[in-house]
Amino acid sequence: MAGDSDATAPERPAPLVDGEAGAAGKGGIANLAAFGGPPAFSEPLHVGRPNVGDRNRLLGRINDLLDRKWLTNNGAYVQELERKIEDFVGVKHCVAMCNATIALEIASRAAGLTGEVIVPSFTFIATAHCLQWQEITPVFCDVDSRTHNLDPARVEQLITPRTTGIIGVHVWGRPCDTDALEDIARRRGLKLLFDAAHAFGCSHQGRMIGGFGDAEVFSFHATKFFNTFEGGAVVTDDDELAAKMRLMKNFGFAGYDNVIYIGTNGKMTEVAAAMGLTGLEDLHQFVAVNRANYEEYRRQLAGLPGVSWICYDETEKCNYQYVVLEVDEEVTHIGRDDILNILIAENVLARRYFYPGCHRMEPYRSYFPHAGLLLPETERLTKRVLVLPTGTAVGPDEIRQICQIIRFAVSRGAEVRLRLAEQSKALFPII
Ligand code: T4K
């Protein structure tokens, strides 16, 4: 990669230092793609490459549903998927839906949430929007810097007479402190829901995630560990809640010509359920790939000063869907965003989930302009976290290369940062 003699290649500045020849296969800073070198990968490497089960079984199911001419509205595949998920998670009810955002809206409405609901800001925007969409105020609570999940002590401080519930998020598939949150909810008479969008296939205290709180919501979006193209589900042991959600996801119809509730269209299609049924059969393979990637990343980045990663509890079931680094700029002398820019230039499309935090996005930043003052850990994390490509998009070779680039950028942190700053000054001289 370093010594490309192609005359049509853009002229590159001379390497600053060659002492690290071979690191990242780059030979020198100037050969990083951000500074004009050729990218390490010709095709982009994505964070959320979909896990797809056996293609022939999927196509067989699609042919079958086309033959049956039953495409949606609680079809046979949706019902089969719901029963299989109930068994897998160990809950009484699974209500499949078109995506997790609608599922969160329906679950929170069916659970009777109103007024204020306590949620983390360190989450995907859907957790907050599902409330605000219904004119319920999301009250942003800080997270524990170690777990990245809601800090129960801070939850308790935010309860007011208007609070009706808490939505915890099992970020990266790692469980919230369910005992503490269940205790608060019980003592304070609050509903407790979990946004388990990341946590399908994960367990906590030996029980599958999905069985905690009043209800839990999974996302089956294409980028998730287990996907139905788009999709989601609410799982619960509460018969009444499940019955309400079944009505709500189907406009409130209790039978032909009989609407007994306000509802919406939250139904999952048959083709989505076919994808889900097929994926369920291959979950163990998805976990194996994710786990191997996670371990390879850990091996390759071990001992890199200022770079730590979130760990999964090996005594529990984990889906290992996210490989998440934290960059401590004081040690690396190069910020998370600079590392991200270096990676993107190399065609490694890492992501900085959940930057900048829900509280810094609209409409919340206008509603609560000073929310950040109460969210110091969230603010800190949103500047440090970097999510790396995994899943079937990458294997050991790609991971080794990605890690070499990160190691190289960190080992020359101050220099790389300076060069990036100079470059952006040249590009945007007025700023
Ligand atoms: N709660 C939480 C905690 C969540 O994380 C999410 C969703 C939700 C609720 C709501 O669930 P859903 O309503 O979506 O069921 C992605 C996903 O779109 C989103 O589902 C997910 N969280 C979030 C964390 O990540 P973006 O904006 O980053 O998506 P996008 O299009 O940039 O895709 C991410 C990467 O995946 C890209 O590098 C491209 C690649 N990709 C994506 C798709 C869709 C593929 O390679 N193939 C694909 O088909 O939000």
Side-chain angles (χ1 to χ4, degrees), residues 242-259:
K244 245 190 219 177
M245 292 189 296
R246 287 197 184 284
L247 286 169
M248 283 184 169
K249 75 158 182 173
N250 188 28
F251 313 100
F253 274 109
Y256 286 130
D257 314 323
N258 185 23
V259 170

Side-chain angles (χ1 to χ4, degrees), residues 118 141 144 146-147 149-157 159 165-168 170 175-194 204-205 207 212-213:
I118 298 169
C141 179
D144 179 322
R146 207 175 29 88
T147 64
N149 287 328
L150 272 183
D151 179 345
R154 290 174 194 262
V155 168
E156 189 115 34
Q157 292 164 358
I159 296 172
I166 303 165
I167 303 183
H170 304 300
C176 290
D177 184 344
T178 54
D179 285 346
L181 293 174
E182 282 175 347
D183 176 59
I184 294 170
R186 197 168 34 245
R187 280 190 291 104
R188 308 297 291 260
L190 304 175
K191 292 288 181 190
L192 177 62
L193 304 180
F194 288 104
H204 174 44
Q205 298 171 342
R207 285 166 57 198
F212 296 90

